[in-house]
Amino acid sequence: MKFETVIGLEIHAQLKTKTKIFCGCKTSFGDEPNTHSCPVCQGLPGALPVLNREVVKKAIRAGLATNHTIRKESVFARKNYFYPDLPKGYQISQFELPICEKGYLDIVADGNKKRVGITRIHLEEDAGKLIHDQDIDSLFDANRCGTPLIEIVSEPDMRSSEEAYQYLTGLKKILQYLDVCDCNMEEGSLRCDANVSIRPFGETKLGTKAELKNMNSFSNVKKAIDYEVERQTELIENGKIVVQQTFLWDANKNITIAMRSKESSDDYRYFPDPDLTTLIVTDKMIDEQKDTLPELPKDKEKRFSEQYSLDNDAIAVLTETIEIADYYEKTAKLCGNAKSASGWILTDILKILKEKQCELGELKTTSEKLAEIIKLVQTDKISASAGKKILAAVEETGKEPQTLVEELGLSQVSDSGELKTIMEKIFSENPAEVERFKSGDNKLTSFFVGQAMKESKGKANPKEINRIIGELINS
Ligand code: ADP
Ligand code: MG
Ligand code: ZN
């Protein structure tokens, strides 16, 4: 029997705010344990939460950019469970009335366009962190308690691991564009749980799902889904049934490990948090975010394709972040050649970024300086290979390209008088070659150009040399 894969994703994204969701503690990652905590986020009895306004703004932004309806009234609820990383014994989340509802994201997977429904985006707080890999007992760090999260819950609309991968990639790009989340999966600021089931093709009822957790990269999400689909298919083909369970992905062994049977929402005894009032969102708050949304990835990609005639691979890289897109557009505008700007960034600038392991903003080669180098090459002031040398020198010293051209003596000789003198010398030294050339052996052109380059120490403009060779031979 042939089975269809059904996938729904739950994504937790840490909001990029200075302070936590219900107290004034800092949200910094990697600091000394338990240095950012207070009675509220430690869950001391009687301490009262106060909602951080910035968190609401960011959730609205995320909702708008993914086509959601923003609820004018939403409610915080307590999700009750015991775990040592949760001092209060409950997590403040949203349940029945989340801040954003009914959104979607358009993706392209395996060449097909597809719309993935998003059920909701709700606000919640993160739990603390347990540190297990110590000699002594497990340790607890409260720094992460109360870190603001949005949970983005998709409809079970995806039909392959590739669709899940594209959905994740698309969502990540949007969240980064919005500056809502830094999406660093290693630091846990973006986490994804995948719900996976299978069913016979044609069946409309959903099959029993397994929940996959602990995947710290998108490629692991893909691998885990593929593994799970295979496991479920084998079970059903052997007359067994899939039980609802939660699995951890083991990235070293490439297998999933059963963790626990999945609890249902009834087990959490959700109820509205009496410490927090209904969250009221006004039209003004929504408009404020609408008015300040950046150009979103899909729009930018489309514009780059139309405005600069770039191919899809170039567009994917040049719109990866707003920073690289801005850097590209500025360079293209300043040098007046969109194609060259793209070429230089895709090869040379990316290489420098990789070598230096740094961000675009930290480069000494600003878009102004890169544009200057491109112009020097295009106007034949320097050769293409000299351009690469100048780029390396700019990145090293931060000096102006023109200054470096002079300092390094790399300016190209295009002066026809000077080049003619050089060529005449070469011709008089190589009379046999001149004869052969005159009788039609065109291969000798490259020989003469090579000689001219040698004579000029690489500074002769090859285009001009070619022209002069023709001129002299014909005269
Ligand atoms: P739970 O209460 O177990 O968390 P939800 O109904 O809230 O389940 O759904 C959680 C996620 O699982 C959603 O993204 C949803 O689309 C997805 N999902 C639900 N049922 C299935 C299924 N049978 N197969 C695959 N994904 C599913
Ligand atoms: Mg769930
Ligand atoms: Zn606190």
Side-chain angles (χ1 to χ4, degrees):
M1 203 193 288
K2 278 267 174 252
F3 294 100
E4 176 179 52
T5 301
V6 176
I7 303 160
L9 298 178
E10 294 165 283
I11 293 167
H12 286 92
Q14 226 170 68
L15 299 178
K16 242 171 121 179
T17 55
K18 290 199 186 75
T19 56
K20 295 184 180 179
I21 182 166
F22 297 120
C23 63
C25 292
K26 265 171 64 178
T27 53
S28 48
F29 177 86
D31 283 357
E32 195 61 18
N34 299 310
T35 48
H36 305 302
S37 80
C38 72
V40 173
C41 56
Q42 284 165 11
L44 298 190
L48 289 173
V50 176
L51 180 59
N52 178 346
R53 186 182 295 269
E54 208 51 43
V55 164
V56 178
K57 288 185 188 168
K58 291 204 153 51
I60 295 173
R61 275 173 100 64
L64 290 173
T66 46
N67 313 294
H68 281 79
T69 306
I70 312 297
R71 284 198 69 89
K72 296 291 174 56
E73 293 185 13
S74 69
V75 170
F76 287 100
R78 290 186 183 181
K79 179 180 183 179
N80 299 281
Y81 64 93
F82 170 78
Y83 204 68
D85 65 4
L86 190 72
K88 289 201 295 290
Y90 61 85
Q91 176 194 26
I92 306 179
S93 180
Q94 294 190 302
F95 185 52
E96 280 159 328
L97 301 173
I99 184 161
C100 311
E101 287 174 325
K102 293 193 182 69
Y104 64 84
L105 182 71
D106 289 331
I107 59 165
V108 178
D110 299 316
N112 300 316
K113 278 191 191 159
K114 159 136 198 180
R115 177 161 293 182
V116 178
I118 306 178
T119 318
R120 57 192 274 152
I121 299 179
H122 66 250
L123 280 165
E124 63 184 29
E125 60 178 341
D126 208 346
K129 199 185 224 156
L130 294 179
I131 301 152
H132 298 295
D133 50 356
Q134 305 287 312
D135 299 340
I136 42 170
D137 302 323
S138 291
L139 301 173
F140 170 65
D141 177 8
N143 285 357
R144 204 179 64 185
C145 283
T147 299
L149 304 176
I150 45 174
E151 180 172 343
I152 306 168
V153 184
S154 88
E155 290 289 304
D157 281 353
M158 287 156 275
R159 294 290 173 269
S160 66
S161 59
E162 176 61 18
E163 288 185 5
Y165 185 87
Q166 293 304 332
Y167 171 82
L168 281 169
T169 313
L171 209 54
K172 178 182 176 201
K173 206 164 173 178
I174 291 176
L175 294 176
Q176 283 178 321
Y177 267 50
L178 296 173
D179 206 26
V180 149
C181 173
D182 65 24
C183 298
N184 185 332
M185 284 189 93
E186 268 114 59
E187 292 183 0
S189 52
L190 192 74
R191 306 192 282 264
C192 170
D193 300 340
N195 299 272
V196 182
S197 65
I198 60 169
R199 62 185 174 190
F201 270 103
E203 173 65 63
T204 49
K205 248 178 53 210
L206 292 171
T208 305
K209 72 175 155 88
E211 188 182 25
L212 312 177
K213 285 179 176 286
N214 201 34
M215 301 156 296
N216 64 357
S217 74
F218 290 173
S219 62
N220 276 334
V221 173
K222 209 171 165 190
K223 278 192 225 160
I225 292 172
D226 289 337
Y227 179 90
E228 181 57 21
V229 168
E230 213 167 288
R231 190 189 70 87
Q232 292 184 12
T233 309
E234 211 172 290
L235 277 176
I236 293 178
E237 279 175 346
N238 289 315
K240 299 190 179 134
I241 54 158
V242 176
V243 280
Q244 184 153 326
Q245 256 182 324
T246 300
F247 293 88
L248 289 184
W249 174 246
D250 184 329
N252 294 319
K253 298 195 183 123
N254 279 333
I255 55 167
T256 53
I257 300 164
M259 187 166 78
R260 54 178 150 92
S261 64
K262 169 85 179 147
E263 57 292 301
S264 73
S265 58
D266 291 351
D267 299 327
Y268 290 118
R269 304 286 300 185
Y270 278 99
F271 63 86
D273 192 317
D275 289 341
L276 288 155
T277 57
T278 300
L279 169 58
I280 312 271
V281 172
T282 61
D283 285 330
K284 186 163 163 269
M285 286 164 78
I286 297 174
D287 288 342
E288 254 170 36
Q289 295 312 316
K290 244 186 214 154
D291 294 344
T292 56
L293 285 183
E295 180 180 35
L296 292 173
K298 282 278 162 286
D299 301 324
K300 206 185 271 298
E301 287 161 14
K302 186 157 172 278
R303 185 170 61 78
F304 272 32
S305 156
E306 290 166 1
Q307 190 171 340
Y308 304 118
S309 319
L310 301 172
D311 62 48
N312 286 340
D313 289 343
I315 291 173
V317 180
L318 295 175
T319 61
E320 177 79 34
T321 61
I322 290 190
E323 287 73 30
I324 194 165
D326 286 351
Y327 184 91
Y328 167 68
E329 290 207 273
K330 214 164 156 191
T331 309
K333 191 168 166 221
L334 290 170
C335 78
N337 188 329
K339 271 260 146 44
S340 299
S342 149
W344 280 80
I345 293 173
L346 292 179
T347 50
D348 305 282
I349 296 295
L350 289 188
K351 197 164 134 228
I352 295 175
L353 287 176
K354 208 162 161 197
E355 279 164 10
K356 288 189 133 184
Q357 295 277 333
C358 70
E359 304 287 324
L360 256 183
E362 299 169 58
L363 291 186
K364 295 208 174 92
T365 312
T366 56
S367 44
E368 286 85 357
K369 290 202 170 80
L370 178 61
E372 207 47 51
I373 298 171
I374 297 173
K375 277 201 293 197
L376 287 168
V377 174
Q378 275 177 350
T379 52
D380 289 328
K381 301 262 169 28
I382 58 175
S383 67
S385 65
K388 309 277 164 178
K389 283 183 200 151
I390 295 292
L391 174 59
V394 167
E395 193 46 44
E396 172 101 24
T397 63
K399 288 186 189 171
E400 289 301 325
Q402 186 57 54
T403 314
L404 286 162
V405 168
E406 283 148 31
E407 278 184 22
L408 300 174
L410 284 171
S411 76
Q412 188 160 254
V413 179
S414 300
D415 177 71
S416 56
E418 205 172 318
L419 292 178
K420 235 179 193 157
T421 316
I422 291 176
M423 272 333 291
E424 275 162 359
K425 179 162 175 272
I426 292 169
F427 284 164
S428 68
E429 283 167 4
N430 300 280
E433 280 77 9
V434 171
E435 277 318 303
R436 272 166 53 207
F437 188 59
K438 277 185 170 163
S439 57
D441 190 350
N442 287 325
K443 285 201 294 288
L444 281 159
T445 313
S446 53
F447 165 76
F448 288 129
V449 173
Q451 292 296 310
M453 292 315 261
K454 215 162 130 193
E455 185 70 30
S456 68
K457 299 195 175 66
K459 287 191 232 160
N461 174 355
K463 265 190 251 157
E464 195 55 20
I465 290 276
N466 262 305
R467 196 186 62 74
I468 289 169
I469 292 172
E471 198 179 287
L472 289 176
I473 291 288
N474 289 330
S475 66

